[in-house]
Amino acid sequence: MLILALDTATDKGSLALMEEDRLLGETSLESPGTYLTQVLPGVEALLTATGRRLEEVEVIGVSAGPGNFTGLRIGQATAKALAWARGLPLVPVPTMEVLAAQFPFQPHPLAVLLDAKRNEVFFGLYLCPGDRPRLVEGPERLPVAALPARLKPPLVLTGPGLNVYRQFLEEALPSDLLWAPPEMRHPRAGTLARLTGLRLAQGLTAPPAQLVPTYLRPAL
Amino acid sequence: MLILALDTATDKGSLALMEEDRLLGETSLESPGTYLTQVLPGVEALLTATGRRLEEVEVIGVSAGPGNFTGLRIGQATAKALAWARGLPLVPVPTMEVLAAQFPFQPHPLAVLLDAKRNEVFFGLYLCPGDRPRLVEGPERLPVAALPARLKPPLVLTGPGLNVYRQFLEEALPSDLLWAPPEMRHPRAGTLARLTGLRLAQGLTAPPAQLVPTYLRPAL
């Protein structure tokens, strides 16, 4: 089963092509402001680099949100169009679940923080004792100032919200919280691809024409 | 500090550009047999995609081995030449340490397995209770058949050796060992870049002209 996975929910975009247990290729890049000109050429470059053709792709996984409004719209527009045009199943995967799944076999709860702008974060608390995370709190939108009351050790902190609100969080949170290493704070499309396969096996697909992002905030 | 990291120690190559806490870009690809034609164009493409120039790179990190003979030679030849030509510090990072560092805050020991060909593996046992792994056994070269006696639960198994010797390992190992998710079994250059920064701060550089790969086997 050849899976194409596409994440543009944050300030970094990530694309991956996975076949069974093989991650054929993965590429992640900070977005210099516009995914619109990069996503489809990125998909094409990934297919070329791995020697595959779009016709061989069997399922498309996409970051469901919450996250960056414009990023989500462009990513989902692309994924929906590809799935619809090729008659492929489309699997939306919650963005925070992708971030939590990057910490398998983890004894501590995982607090995922995404930037929601205006001094707010999207927050979700996960447990990931195996290789698949389970949501135990949230997802919800919170003022950054409300986080210290919610985040008690032992806890692993992850997500791009850490970089955005680092200064406040470093000052306001207990010093014994575990900060994810910087390279693990953004969604990897390789992990999104794995979760896509698991969700597809459970029938958790979305009709390409109807899918809308999970915003957790009224769209502007 | 702009770090260029380069891993070609396994059947997948990975390149990354990291600046402080920001992973600017990362790309990983299964090698279709030859790194020689891909590494330098890959570095150039990564710089272009992130809007950086080679002149801005301040340190080069490279996978030290053990691993694939030809891959290591090509990767290190490239890293050494770039470091020497630009007068940059060169930081070799053990390949297995990169793999173990992908499991931060991990309560279980991590057994890293790399394919050593001829039914052998390169093996190292790490602990990673924080964000930086510590080697507790190995690195050593072992017959695959010797692994069941060495690998007792609870233990996380990782490394590309899992895919190469999957059938034997699935039959011969206890069923309650924890197998790393497939997308986490290869070295990520993003993690290599982070460890490069940590090692540079400790002065753990290598003279570009003298560095040779850690083979753990007499070179052919």
Side-chain angles (χ1 to χ4, degrees), chain A residues 12 21 23 26 28 166, chain B residues 12 21 23 26 28 166:
Chain A
K12 231 185 285 292
D21 266 10
L23 183 59
E26 183 182 34
S28 302
R166 178 194 341 241
Chain B
K12 230 184 286 290
D21 266 10
L23 183 59
E26 183 181 33
S28 302
R166 177 195 340 239

Side-chain angles (χ1 to χ4, degrees), chain A residues 99-185:
Chain A
L99 282 156
Q102 294 171 191
F103 293 84
F105 319 126
Q106 183 51 241
H108 305 305
L110 291 145
V112 181
L113 305 178
L114 294 165
D115 183 21
K117 312 285 182 191
R118 311 180 208 170
N119 283 308
E120 293 187 321
V121 290
F122 301 118
F123 164 76
L125 193 72
Y126 285 83
L127 294 178
C128 196
D131 59 6
R132 199 166 171 186
R134 184 165 57 86
L135 182 68
V136 290
E137 281 183 37
E140 58 193 298
R141 185 162 49 90
L142 289 175
V144 177
L147 287 172
R150 300 288 293 271
L151 304 176
K152 303 292 182 192
L155 200 65
V156 176
L157 299 174
T158 191
L162 288 185
N163 288 21
V164 178
Y165 298 111
R166 178 194 341 241
Q167 197 179 346
F168 169 80
L169 296 173
E170 279 179 351
E171 287 167 11
L173 295 180
S175 62
D176 52 350
L177 291 175
L178 304 168
W179 288 57
E183 81 276 14
M184 297 180 70
R185 294 179 193 166

